[in-house]
Amino acid sequence: MRLYHNPRCSKSRQAVKLLTDKGVSFQEHRYLEKGIMEEDLPILASLVGIIRKQEKEFKELDFAVNSINDVIKVLRSKPKLLERPVLVKDGKAIIGRPPEDLLQLL
């Protein structure tokens, strides 16, 4: 189980605390430093709302984001646009907004 985490994000910090308090074992993946794991890209790209479209970097894209392949391209090149926190487990993923939503995947 992998949690895509940005320690500067309050929701992401809440997710780490929630999972830790529940005794859940997970890998904390700091995607801004390490990028997004290649094997997770198709799973993440299938989630509605996975891209932070309000960010300046999204508005500066020189292509339209109309398909899963476009989303993968965005996430691969601009990991900052990943909505967070996101928990990936057994080929499925869920966005933790609110963080308690992550518990649905356990």
Side-chain angles (χ1 to χ4, degrees):
M1 194 166 3
R2 182 173 15 261
L3 180 70
Y4 281 85
H5 173 56
N6 176 354
R8 294 184 60 195
C9 170
S10 64
K11 296 291 184 206
S12 195
R13 290 190 308 269
Q14 289 170 17
V16 168
K17 182 176 181 346
L18 175 69
L19 294 174
T20 301
D21 289 352
K22 295 271 184 195
V24 175
S25 177
F26 64 95
Q27 173 195 6
E28 182 181 311
H29 186 79
R30 295 189 180 199
Y31 65 94
L32 291 176
E33 298 166 15
K34 299 179 180 181
I36 297 172
M37 304 277 294
E38 196 65 28
E39 64 265 27
D40 292 339
L41 283 169
I43 300 163
L44 297 173
S46 70
L47 293 175
V48 173
I50 195 63
I51 294 182
R52 298 173 54 83
K53 294 181 179 178
Q54 72 277 15
E55 297 288 335
K56 179 179 116 178
E57 288 85 353
F58 180 79
K59 294 172 183 165
E60 292 173 346
L61 291 175
D62 59 356
F63 63 93
V65 180
N66 296 319
S67 69
I68 287 181
N69 286 335
D70 293 337
V71 174
I72 289 171
K73 182 178 175 183
V74 168
L75 293 176
R76 188 179 282 137
S77 64
K78 301 194 180 295
K80 179 181 179 182
L81 295 178
L82 177 75
E83 184 62 85
R84 77 271 177 182
V86 180
L87 187 64
V88 177
K89 178 185 178 198
D90 299 330
K92 296 179 183 175
I94 190 165
I95 300 171
R97 293 214 169 236
E100 294 76 21
D101 283 357
L102 299 176
L103 300 177
Q104 297 174 35
L105 200 55
L106 302 180

